[in-house]
Amino acid sequence: MTLSSLTNRLSRVRAASKAFIPRCRFQFHGLSQGAKAIQKQESWFVKVVCTLFVYSQPLDDSSLGYLIKNLTPSTEFEVVKWLNNPAYGLKFFELSRENLDITHSFWTYNLLIRSFCHVGLHGSAKLVFDYMKIDGHLPDSTLLGFMISAFGRAGEFDLARKLLAEVRSDGVMVTVFALNNLLNMMVKQNKLEEAVRLYKENIESNFNPDTWTFNILIQGLCRVGKVNQAFEFFNDMRSFGCFPDIVSYNTIINGLCKCNEVDRGHSLLNEIRLSDDCLPNVVTYTSVISGYCKLGKMKEASALFSEMINSGNVPSVVTFNVLIDGFGKAGDMLSAKSLYEKMDSFGCSADVVTFTSLINGYCRIRDVNQSLQFLSAMKVRNICPNVYTFAITINALCKENRIHEAHELLRELQCRNIVPKPFIFNPVIDGFCKAGNLHEANRIVAEMEKKCEPDKDA
């Protein structure tokens, strides 16, 4: 069979001309006229093979014989590319692999794997990868990194782990960027144990970690309260030539403070201050200050706040908020208000958290009128109260038997784009019941049932 006879056969294929394979643009820069003619002839051959394959299945022996004689790894790659469909591409790939005795080029495997990953068929991508290994090809670090990232984005972590295990003995190194991406995706998907296991399985054999590798695992472990295990990674960094950066320190310190090991976190902060590697920043100080505030140790928190300012670190809104909240819960509203008044001088604008903390603090010392003044100040600044701002104020008003004012706030809440909670309605319902106004109490219960499910206290 000749190219001419194959071309003639196309005229017998059903209406193939209008449903032809999508065209690709071939560019031949810097080639002679003879080379251009050869390339054009090959381009036409590729079109013929594509159309024959799509519209004339199964191929007869004469067609197969012609393809065996004329198809090369490079033209086979062009056919797969012209088919522009990973399912067709794989089918032709398998046909040429099994029946045409073609030794496929690396680029054919690369094209098919990437195509299947782009359309979300990761199992098929892994099948092509298996063919690739069987046929004696190894992926390069770029293709391997692409596959690992694609599997990770799709949540196919078992597939990614299996892939890494298969290349472990082949000497193909994974880029640290690709593996870090995978570990980061696993941690974000709450696959922390699997991420730690993957790291241990591939350390040094498949990749060399960097500081960010350790930071990813440390952050994941601290987030779930496994600070001691995070410390193991923290202490192990230097043995791999990596050094903790400020992210490493901040993560560990924040994890310690959340576990109420604030003194230990403070010691680590002092260690950074004395080192030459990095300096503590506002996040470092705020983590320890927040830890002391949660424990009610406002003297220590205030001293650290002063130290932070003296060291040249400018406090953030978060720094002020944790201190104001801490002083409010301690009943020291003089200090809380003083900090609030200092915010502007440090370039910080009070937000809903600031005002809610102040309102809560004044409600705790039963100064509801001052709380209402701060609620009015929020409206002047166009800061919308949140569900907790309303809940705190309504509850405080009810404790002072100011039920009608609490009811007005409840109506205001219902007019806002805020999803109410049963615990906001309960004090008002209870207040009207105690006042003997069961009709109003029942009406509020009916409103609550429309907005949210009543809880057991309602």
Side-chain angles (χ1 to χ4, degrees):
M1 184 180 286
T2 64
L3 181 60
S4 175
S5 61
L6 271 176
T7 305
N8 290 335
R9 185 176 174 181
L10 293 180
S11 62
R12 300 192 297 272
V13 176
R14 57 180 179 82
S17 58
K18 290 185 179 180
F20 201 68
I21 310 301
R23 292 185 179 182
C24 294
R25 292 182 179 178
F26 290 84
Q27 295 182 353
F28 310 100
H29 299 295
L31 296 175
S32 66
Q33 291 298 320
K36 282 185 180 180
I38 293 170
Q39 291 291 344
K40 287 178 181 178
Q41 181 74 2
E42 287 182 353
S43 174
W44 175 244
F45 173 70
V46 168
K47 295 177 188 178
V48 169
V49 174
C50 287
T51 309
L52 196 63
F53 174 73
V54 173
Y55 296 111
S56 188
Q57 287 288 344
L59 296 177
D60 58 30
D61 290 342
S62 61
S63 298
L64 289 172
Y66 180 80
L67 292 177
I68 289 172
K69 288 176 62 177
N70 293 279
L71 202 65
T72 65
S74 62
T75 52
E76 187 269 347
F77 167 75
E78 294 297 336
V79 169
V80 172
K81 186 166 71 174
W82 264 82
L83 287 170
N84 199 27
N85 181 306
Y88 278 157
L90 178 59
K91 190 175 178 182
F92 183 78
F93 168 85
E94 291 178 328
L95 171 73
S96 59
R97 183 175 181 271
E98 295 168 8
N99 300 102
L100 305 180
D101 197 28
I102 288 290
T103 302
H104 298 285
S105 70
F106 167 83
W107 299 109
T108 302
Y109 299 100
N110 180 71
L111 174 62
L112 283 171
I113 288 170
R114 289 176 181 272
S115 298
F116 278 120
C117 286
H118 282 308
V119 296
L121 297 173
H122 301 94
S124 297
K126 180 61 170 61
L127 174 64
V128 176
F129 176 80
D130 293 340
Y131 283 140
M132 186 179 188
K133 284 201 71 179
I134 291 168
D135 294 345
H137 289 280
L138 286 176
D140 59 15
S141 59
T142 303
L143 176 59
L144 186 59
F146 169 82
M147 291 181 72
I148 290 168
S149 296
F151 291 169
R153 282 192 298 272
E156 298 280 1
F157 299 123
D158 288 338
L159 209 55
R161 186 171 173 236
K162 186 177 179 182
L163 178 65
L164 286 167
E166 288 179 10
V167 300
R168 196 172 297 142
S169 60
D170 296 327
V172 181
M173 296 294 286
V174 187
T175 64
V176 67
F177 177 79
L179 204 64
N180 284 351
N181 271 347
L182 179 61
L183 290 172
N184 197 34
M185 286 184 278
M186 294 176 80
V187 169
K188 286 182 177 178
Q189 292 292 319
N190 298 316
K191 302 286 184 182
L192 183 58
E193 290 183 11
E194 292 92 328
V196 171
R197 185 167 69 248
L198 185 79
Y199 160 81
K200 290 180 177 178
E201 287 172 350
N202 291 278
I203 192 71
E204 291 190 308
S205 60
N206 272 9
F207 87 114
N208 294 313
D210 61 8
T211 298
W212 187 237
T213 312
F214 289 99
N215 285 349
I216 291 166
L217 296 170
I218 289 168
Q219 286 173 344
L221 290 164
C222 286
R223 193 178 67 194
V224 297
K226 295 184 177 181
V227 184
N228 289 330
Q229 191 177 351
F231 250 111
E232 291 176 14
F233 283 100
F234 183 81
N235 293 329
D236 207 28
M237 292 176 73
R238 286 183 171 84
S239 62
F240 291 95
C242 304
F243 294 92
D245 58 12
I246 194 60
V247 175
S248 317
Y249 279 109
N250 284 350
T251 306
I252 286 285
I253 289 170
N254 188 51
L256 287 168
C257 292
K258 283 186 175 178
C259 293
N260 296 327
E261 296 190 49
V262 187
D263 289 337
R264 196 175 166 193
H266 196 172
S267 297
L268 206 54
L269 186 154
N270 289 332
E271 179 184 311
I272 310 172
R273 287 176 56 237
L274 299 173
S275 73
D276 297 325
D277 297 330
C278 54
L279 293 172
N281 58 20
V282 62
V283 177
T284 325
Y285 279 103
T286 301
S287 294
V288 184
I289 290 169
S290 178
Y292 280 131
C293 288
K294 286 176 182 176
L295 294 177
K297 295 184 175 183
M298 299 312 299
K299 182 179 178 181
E300 291 85 344
S302 297
L304 198 57
F305 179 70
S306 298
E307 180 188 306
M308 178 183 71
I309 293 172
N310 291 334
S311 69
N313 283 287
V314 179
S316 66
V317 174
V318 178
T319 317
F320 280 105
N321 284 349
V322 296
L323 281 163
I324 290 169
D325 184 65
F327 279 118
K329 287 176 179 175
D332 184 357
M333 293 312 298
L334 189 64
S335 297
K337 190 176 180 182
S338 174
L339 282 166
Y340 162 72
E341 291 168 348
K342 289 178 181 177
M343 291 181 73
D344 287 339
S345 63
F346 286 95
C348 297
S349 298
D351 59 14
V352 63
V353 178
T354 317
F355 281 104
T356 302
S357 295
L358 288 164
I359 289 168
N360 185 44
Y362 280 110
C363 286
R364 281 172 175 265
I365 63 171
R366 304 188 75 130
D367 190 348
V368 183
N369 290 332
Q370 188 67 49
S371 294
L372 293 174
Q373 286 183 27
F374 276 107
L375 191 62
S376 298
M378 292 180 73
K379 295 173 184 176
V380 170
R381 292 194 181 200
N382 290 319
I383 299 172
C384 294
N386 61 26
V387 67
Y388 299 105
T389 319
F390 280 104
I392 291 163
T393 313
I394 289 170
N395 187 55
L397 286 167
C398 289
K399 284 182 178 179
E400 296 291 317
N401 293 321
R402 297 163 68 169
I403 306 301
H404 292 287
E405 290 176 78
H407 196 192
E408 283 300 317
L409 269 183
L410 188 60
R411 287 197 186 99
E412 183 183 333
L413 166 65
Q414 291 175 284
C415 293
R416 292 177 178 266
N417 189 26
I418 299 174
V419 179
K421 303 289 183 182
F423 64 79
I424 301 177
F425 290 86
N426 293 342
V428 185
I429 295 168
D430 185 59
F432 277 116
C433 286
K434 287 177 179 177
N437 193 343
L438 298 180
H439 174 75
E440 192 63 29
N442 286 328
R443 197 180 67 78
I444 295 171
V445 169
E447 288 177 9
M448 179 180 68
E449 289 174 342
K450 291 177 186 176
K451 302 286 184 178
C452 52
E453 292 184 7
D455 61 19
K456 61 183 180 181
D457 295 325

